Amino acid sequence: PHLTPDGHLTAGSACVDAGNNSAVPPTLTLDCDGEPRFIDDPNVPDTGFGTPPIVDIGADEFKESDGDGLPDWWEAKYFDSATAADPYTDTDGDGLSNLQEYEQYGSNPISPPCYVNAASGDDAFDGRASSPQGGSVGPKKTIQAALNVAQDGDTVLVVASTYAGTGNFNLDFGSKAIVVLAPSGAPSTTIDCG
């Protein structure tokens, strides 16, 4: 039904304007993001039941004012305006466009990534640079060290290598929603559980 990992609707979802207005309790006037429950999407035909505007199916009402595929609540949360984000820009430099961050990963589009590099990393580094920069700035050596410093919604970028030993398997995300990506792909990035 075109949902994000956290259950929000995406543009083009069959759930938009497809609910049953009479099934919504009169006291339920807002969706899970605090937006009005009955909003018409002019780009989607009303396939639900009732007098328009037709409620969306689920806890989320998809409201998107500028036609970019990013919902207003998400743009306001991260970019301080319901129409400020460019869907195709990678604002935080993690290799994901803003639209990918919303639709595919549910990740934070403005938080810089945390880097892991088995060859040049050090778990004493802060993880905020892809290579050592001097002082404490540079990539982590182990994936677990990066997960430990990453915040909910962050992206951890793992440089192509084989990751083995303590800190690279039996990974604990600490109940945080973290995206772990290997930009070079699985064939060149391996976790060796030995």
Side-chain angles (χ1 to χ4, degrees), residues 3-172:
L3 297 175
T4 65
D6 64 358
H8 283 89
L9 297 173
T10 64
S13 172
C15 295
V16 175
D17 293 347
N20 182 341
N21 287 0
S22 65
V24 179
T27 57
L28 189 62
T29 59
L30 301 176
D31 74 355
C32 60
D33 300 306
E35 294 180 311
R37 196 62 187 122
F38 297 89
I39 299 173
D40 184 57
D41 185 336
N43 301 312
V44 175
D46 290 338
T47 58
F49 301 97
T51 304
I54 304 295
V55 70
D56 294 349
I57 294 174
D60 182 33
E61 190 76 19
F62 190 75
K63 180 182 179 197
E64 198 269 296
S65 301
D66 56 0
D68 63 4
L70 298 171
D72 292 354
W73 72 266
W74 192 85
E75 288 189 71
K77 176 180 179 178
Y78 292 112
F79 297 94
D80 297 325
S81 166
T83 59
D86 179 337
Y88 306 108
T89 297
D90 175 13
T91 305
D92 58 7
D94 63 2
L96 301 171
S97 71
N98 291 327
L99 190 60
Q100 288 173 307
E101 298 245 25
Y102 173 68
E103 290 187 341
Q104 296 175 19
Y105 298 101
S107 50
N108 184 335
I110 58 173
S111 180
C114 188
Y115 295 92
V116 182
N117 188 321
S120 66
D122 185 320
D123 285 345
F125 288 158
D126 62 4
R128 293 300 176 186
S130 59
S131 62
Q133 304 293 308
S136 64
V137 179
K140 296 290 187 181
K141 185 170 190 69
T142 64
I143 299 169
Q144 187 62 60
L147 294 175
N148 292 345
V149 299
Q151 300 299 308
D152 197 46
D154 280 357
T155 302
V156 172
L157 297 178
V158 183
V159 174
S161 186
T162 297
Y163 293 84
T166 303
N168 289 309
F169 61 92
N170 292 331
L171 300 171
D172 181 1

